Amino acid sequence: MTDLLNICGLQGWYGESHVLHGINVTVRPGETVALIGRNGAGKTTTLRALMNLLDKREGAIVMDGQDLINLPRHRVAAQGLGYVPEERGIFTTLSVAENLRLLPRTGEGMSDAQIFEFFPNLQERLASDGGKLSGGEQQMLAIARVLRTGPRLLLLDEPTEGLAPVIVQRIGHLLRALKAQGLAMLLVEQNLAFARGLADRFYLIENGRIAGSFANDEFEANAERVAAIVGV
Ligand SMILES: Nc1ncnc2c1ncn2[C@@H]1O[C@H](COP(=O)(O)OP(=O)(O)OP(=O)(O)O)[C@@H](O)[C@H]1O
Ligand SMILES: [Mg+2]
């Protein structure tokens, strides 16, 4: 099967600081891939590199056969990459409805009706300020906002961070439903139990390099290696 995304030899810099030294990751259509690694390994930087948010990047980022490495920042989303950053980016003084409309919708994006089917609680809170939402609701709003733009690949940076276990479960349920609809995801996650409930394959990242990869059913066999690299 043709890869949806093929990242090859991706390097990235913040100013003079060389952080990514060669990231090789593939995501097949409909697949969920998790990036795991200790703090500072370069997980967030990898997602930011894909969105062209670093000061400099090199390598190849081939999406559906087209290399995006020279694509300007403002055109990345239109190529089907939808980024949900760790800090979520909810504007606290804008309403939920206004937050939802901040990103331009593309033809392929979810309709409001589809969004509210997935996120009924957001519909109930459309008039509330973003700042009044719970952490879980803010995370859902951040995901919903990106789904309206019609991504073919969802990039999620630690979607469960700081959320109570029952909310983590809801987010997991939601992401599995999106996956069941065929949406591909590249997930950064420190909560390994959560990642195991969602990901088809894992990549280990260490010091800005991919140190290994394995399928979900090979997780146990790789547990020692994961512990050594992730430090759990
Ligand atoms: N804006 C920045 N300017 C300079 N260096 C940065 C910047 N952001 C991150 N770094 C450095 O880049 C490296 C990779 O950081 P990154 O945020 O990608 O790690 P991470 O794997 O996402 O870690 P965490 O699990 O803590 O989120 C670290 O050494 C970090 O200090
Ligand atoms: Mg990070």
Side-chain angles (χ1 to χ4, degrees), residues 45-57:
T45 306
T46 298
L47 299 188
R48 289 176 56 83
L50 295 177
M51 298 307 292
N52 202 359
L53 296 172
L54 302 186
D55 296 316
K56 185 178 151 196
R57 64 179 188 177

Side-chain angles (χ1 to χ4, degrees), residues 98-171:
E98 288 164 333
N99 267 285
L100 267 177
R101 291 188 190 111
L102 279 176
L103 299 180
R105 185 208 285 287
T106 68
E108 312 294 312
M110 272 195 192
S111 66
D112 285 348
Q114 287 170 313
I115 292 279
F116 298 139
E117 207 173 299
F118 269 99
F119 307 91
N121 52 326
L122 289 184
Q123 185 170 23
E124 286 161 24
R125 306 214 57 184
L126 275 177
S128 303
D129 278 355
K132 293 257 161 51
L133 300 184
S134 67
E137 287 169 329
Q138 289 195 355
Q139 184 64 58
M140 290 180 209
L141 176 54
I143 294 170
R145 183 166 65 189
V146 164
L147 291 175
R148 288 180 83 251
T149 72
R152 285 175 297 142
L153 177 65
L154 196 58
L155 309 176
L156 296 155
D157 197 351
E158 304 206 26
T160 69
E161 193 189 13
L163 303 180
V166 58
I167 308 298
V168 170
Q169 269 186 14
R170 282 183 62 191
I171 301 272

